[in-house]
Amino acid sequence: MSLVSIMMILLTREEFALLEQLLPFFDNISSHTVMDQINKIRSQIRFKGIIEDKVIGDSLISYLAHKEEPVEYPGCDCDECLEEWVEDTMGYLNYKMEIVDDFKRFEKQILHLKKNYSDFYDISLEFFDQLFDTKKRAALKQEIERELIKFVNKYKPILYTILEERGEDTDFLEHVPTFVPGVASVRSEPKVGRNEPCPCGSGKKYKRCCG
C-alpha cells in the first residue's frame, strides 16, 4: 500500500484536503517529516474551535498550545534549536504566570473551557483545578516565580540574544534576582557558636570578634 493510500485512510477529509498540497513531494521527503506535518495540521484543526470562540482569549489559547505541543529540549548543539526551546519555554512560563497572577480575568474563560471544551481543560486539569483554590493558587504563583527566576538566570545570555534580535527591551533581565524566593540558602560552612573561638584566628570568642 502506498503512503498516499495510508494517509487517505488515517486522515479525515478535512485533514487530507489541507495536506493534499504536499502529495507531489511525498517521494522526496521522509515519513517522519510527513507525520510532523500531519500532527501540525491536526493541531490547527483541533484548536480551530476555541480560536474562533470569542470568550477564550489569546493568552489562554497560547498556554494550551504550549502545554499540548511543547518544543522538546534539543538533542544537538545547534544554537538555533536551543534558542527556539528557550523562547518556547519562556513563553510557556510567562503565559502560566499571567493566568495565575490575573486569575479573575481568566476565571470566566477557564469555566467556559471546562464546560464547552473539556478535552482542552483536561490538557492541564491539575493546574486549572488548583486555580480555584486561593491557597493553592498562591502556592502556584510562588512555584512559577521560582521556576522563572531559575530559568532566566540559567539562560540569560540566550534570552539577551532573542530579545535583541526582536528589537525588544532587555533591561528587565538585569533586575532578575539571583536567588529564589522561598528557598532557604545553604551554608557552605558550619554555623559558629557565639562562645566558640572566632574562625578568623584572633583567639577571641566569636561574639567579641567577627560575630
Side-chain angles (χ1 to χ4, degrees):
M1 184 179 290
S2 69
L3 183 57
V4 174
S5 300
I6 294 171
M7 296 303 168
M8 293 179 72
I9 294 170
L10 292 177
L11 302 180
T12 65
R13 183 177 298 177
E14 186 179 6
E15 290 172 339
F16 189 81
L18 289 171
L19 193 63
E20 196 170 15
Q21 58 186 317
L22 293 179
L23 294 181
F25 305 102
F26 276 176
D27 291 337
N28 301 320
I29 58 178
S30 68
S31 58
H32 178 74
T33 303
V34 173
M35 290 310 299
D36 280 349
Q37 188 65 30
I38 289 172
N39 289 332
K40 286 179 182 178
I41 290 171
R42 279 181 167 159
S43 180
Q44 289 169 4
I45 294 170
R46 177 167 150 73
F47 273 82
K48 185 179 179 182
I50 63 170
I51 289 172
E52 295 176 350
D53 193 310
K54 294 181 180 179
V55 175
I56 301 173
D58 291 343
S59 292
L60 183 56
I61 292 171
S62 295
Y63 166 76
L64 289 167
H66 279 78
K67 185 70 177 177
E68 184 170 65
E69 291 190 12
V71 174
E72 298 294 333
Y73 185 85
C76 61
D77 297 327
C78 172
D79 290 342
E80 185 177 344
C81 293
L82 185 57
E83 283 183 20
E84 181 185 2
W85 177 80
V86 169
E87 185 174 11
D88 183 82
T89 305
M90 188 70 183
Y92 166 70
L93 291 173
N94 280 331
Y95 286 125
K96 194 173 183 181
M97 174 58 81
E98 183 183 354
I99 293 168
V100 174
D101 204 30
D102 197 6
F103 175 65
K104 288 299 178 185
R105 179 164 65 90
F106 286 95
E107 185 174 7
K108 180 181 177 181
Q109 298 180 43
I110 294 170
L111 289 172
H112 182 77
L113 187 77
K114 185 176 184 179
K115 181 180 179 180
N116 298 284
Y117 307 95
S118 59
D119 53 334
F120 282 100
Y121 187 90
D122 291 345
I123 290 175
S124 199
L125 177 66
E126 184 179 358
F127 172 66
F128 287 143
D129 283 349
Q130 287 179 324
L131 291 173
F132 292 93
D133 184 299
T134 304
K135 289 184 179 178
K136 289 181 179 179
R137 188 167 69 249
L140 265 177
K141 183 176 179 179
Q142 288 187 339
E143 179 186 327
I144 299 167
E145 284 176 343
R146 290 196 292 268
E147 198 172 351
L148 271 167
I149 288 170
K150 288 170 67 176
F151 187 83
V152 170
N153 280 307
K154 184 172 183 178
Y155 297 104
K156 192 176 285 187
I158 297 174
L159 288 167
Y160 267 116
T161 300
I162 292 170
L163 292 172
E164 285 172 353
E165 286 176 352
R166 289 180 180 174
E168 295 182 14
D169 183 34
T170 59
D171 289 347
F172 79 94
L173 292 173
E174 295 296 332
H175 303 291
V176 176
T178 55
F179 66 93
V180 180
V183 178
S185 59
V186 180
R187 292 178 179 273
S188 58
E189 297 178 358
K191 184 177 179 180
V192 180
R194 288 178 55 75
N195 290 314
E196 292 179 10
C198 186
C200 74
S202 65
K204 299 179 182 179
K205 289 184 177 181
Y206 179 65
K207 67 180 180 181
R208 298 191 180 281
C209 189
C210 297

